[in-house]
Amino acid sequence: MKTTIVYDNKTLDPNLASAWGFSCLVDDDLLFDTGGDSERLLSNMAKMGIDPAGITTVVLSHAHGDHTGGLGGLLGTGVRPTVYVPRSFPARFKADVRSLTTLVEVHGPVEIRPGIHTTGEVGRGLVEQALAVETGDGLVVVTGCAHPGVVKMVRRAKESVGGKVYLVMGGFHLGGTSQRRVKAIIADFRRLGVQKVAPCHCTGDRAIWVFAEEYGDDFVKAGVGLVLDIGP
């Protein structure tokens, strides 16, 4: 299983663009979130040798523009992936996507294809879904912003799919959170058996620093250009 961050606030490669938002490619054909705009998304993909024509599936975590903004431009290339969104997405958004391609509304946990799952809708008010991918090393959980709480989303992934949690990556929505609270979240991660972390996007610099200090060699520096090959 391979994950590639193609859109994020920070970049690991000066040739790739950064902007507020998040998008991650899984196994070369599933795009989790689409960043805030298609220009940067498609430019980064092109520079990384990723052909939009190969994308068969798009999973959107939640309805904020910094996670959905690149979808229109992606569809504008002519690609017609199946798009999975939480059922709570705005009706107009869903209708617009349906006019161009297949849309699947998600409520409970769904196995998108063998070994790749969505947690289903988590939280109230601002509802979100995360991706849970089975690998030889354990479960990889990818979050967009984790507005309902990153611990809650990881717990849902573990309960719905099963197995140990190898890696949690993506936005943890901890900007402005105290160091004490971040350490409590890390303690919850440890209780859930989370082995490695790759926080980015809306996690916040202070929280990312605390994760780096606490996880040491098991902390993965994330940003545009990060490519991880996980499991056999």
Side-chain angles (χ1 to χ4, degrees):
M1 176 260 193
K2 182 170 75 170
T3 63
T4 305
I5 295 181
V6 294
Y7 198 112
D8 186 56
N9 314 4
K10 298 180 180 180
T11 180
L12 305 183
D13 183 339
N15 294 314
L16 300 173
S18 61
W20 185 264
F22 183 71
S23 180
C24 178
L25 185 67
V26 176
D27 279 349
D28 298 323
D29 65 345
L30 186 154
L31 196 63
F32 179 78
D33 285 343
T34 62
D37 69 280
S38 57
E39 181 179 357
R40 289 182 182 87
L41 174 72
L42 295 175
S43 174
N44 284 342
M45 289 172 61
K47 289 176 180 178
M48 297 177 76
I50 300 166
D51 185 355
I55 295 174
T56 62
T57 307
V58 172
V59 179
L60 298 178
S61 62
H62 63 295
H64 283 174
D66 54 329
H67 295 261
T68 65
L71 180 62
L74 178 68
L75 296 177
T77 67
V79 66
R80 292 295 179 262
T82 300
V83 179
Y84 290 77
V85 303
R87 188 174 64 183
S88 55
F89 256 52
R92 179 59 183 271
F93 185 98
K94 292 186 288 188
D96 287 346
V97 174
R98 279 198 180 99
S99 72
L100 295 172
T101 193
T102 302
L103 181 130
V104 177
E105 296 186 48
V106 175
H107 178 53
V110 172
E111 186 169 32
I112 295 169
R113 61 177 185 245
I116 299 182
H117 311 254
T118 163
T119 59
E121 294 183 310
V122 180
R124 298 179 180 178
L126 184 48
V127 172
E128 194 165 336
Q129 65 177 337
L131 202 65
V133 184
E134 297 176 75
T135 79
D137 290 328
L139 198 63
V140 174
V141 181
V142 187
T143 61
C145 270
H147 286 284
V150 66
V151 173
K152 182 181 292 186
M153 301 201 77
V154 173
R155 184 178 292 117
R156 170 69 68 83
K158 184 171 183 177
E159 290 172 352
S160 60
V161 179
K164 62 183 181 181
V165 181
Y166 176 70
L167 169 71
V168 181
M169 69 180 300
F172 295 178
H173 199 62
L174 298 174
T177 303
S178 70
Q179 182 172 334
R180 180 178 180 180
R181 176 60 186 146
V182 175
K183 286 189 174 183
I185 289 168
I186 291 171
D188 285 335
F189 268 31
R190 296 295 193 191
R191 283 188 282 270
L192 288 167
V194 176
Q195 296 179 44
K196 295 178 180 289
V197 293
C200 56
H201 180 42
C202 59
T203 304
D205 289 342
R206 177 166 56 192
I208 289 174
W209 177 83
V210 177
F211 271 99
E213 287 289 305
E214 294 289 326
Y215 265 87
D217 291 342
D218 290 324
F219 170 84
V220 179
K221 185 178 181 180
V224 181
L226 176 68
V227 179
L228 296 176
D229 286 296
I230 301 168

